[in-house]
Amino acid sequence: MSEEEFRGVLARLAGGVVLVSAHDPDDGPAGAPAGMTATAFLSVSLDPPLVLVSVRTGSRMDEVLTEQPLWAVSLLSQEQRVTAGRFAMRGRLSDRLLFREVPHVLGEHTGAPLLKDALAGLECRTESRVPAGDHTLVVGRVLGTHLGGMAGAPLLYYQGAYRHLA
Ligand SMILES: Cc1cc2nc3c(=O)[nH]c(=O)nc-3n(C[C@H](O)[C@H](O)[C@H](O)COP(=O)(O)O)c2cc1C
């Protein structure tokens, strides 16, 4: 199997888009928020409540989560496509500046930014880390949930593009 074939198959798996975030204690004197767009996110266990995100080794978020066990996940709505794009850019200058443009609150359990316009959010503490090829599976215990009013429409990623439900 070639890498192209592998990618081609997985491109046909529709995924919900999330923003993984954390307070990076090493960014500046007071630390700063960090965020990364991800689709490799899933629920793992109900009792205890566990979720998992797969983070590319060497990415900024990988470095942050190595030091910071507290993090959050915002489930993005279809209105947050631009935000998803911004937090997916490699070598971007500053997440601190990006977060200034996006309404958010700092989670009470984690200090991690949760996007106000997201469909829902979770706050987590890392329970275990599993190296897996060029990624690390970060399993988090859910410390708190954030559920807005009526759920809006989710942002999806499919065949290399952001999509909406029909
Ligand atoms: C739709 C989409 C989904 C992504 N999913 C993941 C993911 O699950 N895990 C991951 O590590 N990177 C994922 N990425 C890539 C990261 O968003 C991107 O590499 C990172 O923000 C760039 O920062 P860096 O300079 O620290 O690598 C995804 C990108 C996009 C556009």
Side-chain angles (χ1 to χ4, degrees):
M1 173 206 66
S2 69
E3 185 180 317
E4 203 178 317
E5 285 165 332
F6 181 51
R7 283 175 179 273
V9 168
L10 291 175
R12 295 184 185 189
L13 177 65
V17 183
V18 306
L19 182 79
V20 183
S21 62
H23 176 79
D24 178 1
D26 295 334
D27 187 348
M36 186 191 82
T37 301
T39 47
F41 170 78
L42 67 147
S43 61
V44 171
S45 161
L46 197 55
D47 186 17
L50 300 174
V51 294
L52 176 158
V53 63
S54 176
V55 178
R56 184 175 60 80
T57 309
S59 64
R60 166 102 198 282
M61 191 49 66
D62 177 46
E63 285 169 16
V64 173
L65 294 186
T66 306
E67 301 290 326
Q68 171 58 279
L70 299 172
W71 45 282
V73 176
S74 298
L75 312 189
L76 300 187
S77 78
Q78 66 179 25
E79 279 79 32
Q80 294 176 303
R81 181 187 196 128
V82 171
T83 301
R86 288 187 181 154
F87 281 98
M89 282 187 301
R90 277 211 186 172
R92 60 188 178 275
L93 282 181
S94 163
D95 285 4
R96 188 199 300 257
L97 292 180
L98 288 184
F99 275 109
R100 271 194 208 156
E101 310 279 309
V102 190
H104 63 276
V105 294
L106 300 182
E108 54 177 317
H109 301 282
T110 58
L114 285 148
L115 301 193
K116 277 191 181 167
D117 300 329
L119 300 179
L122 292 172
E123 292 187 81
C124 307
R125 176 190 290 117
T126 299
E127 181 111 340
S128 59
R129 294 170 55 88
V130 183
D134 53 14
H135 280 58
T136 300
L137 309 181
V138 183
V139 178
R141 163 85 67 132
V142 178
L143 306 175
T145 57
H146 299 256
L147 208 51
M150 281 252 294
L155 182 63
L156 304 177
Y157 196 74
Y158 176 67
Q159 292 268 51
Y162 293 106
R163 315 274 182 171
H164 300 164
L165 286 180

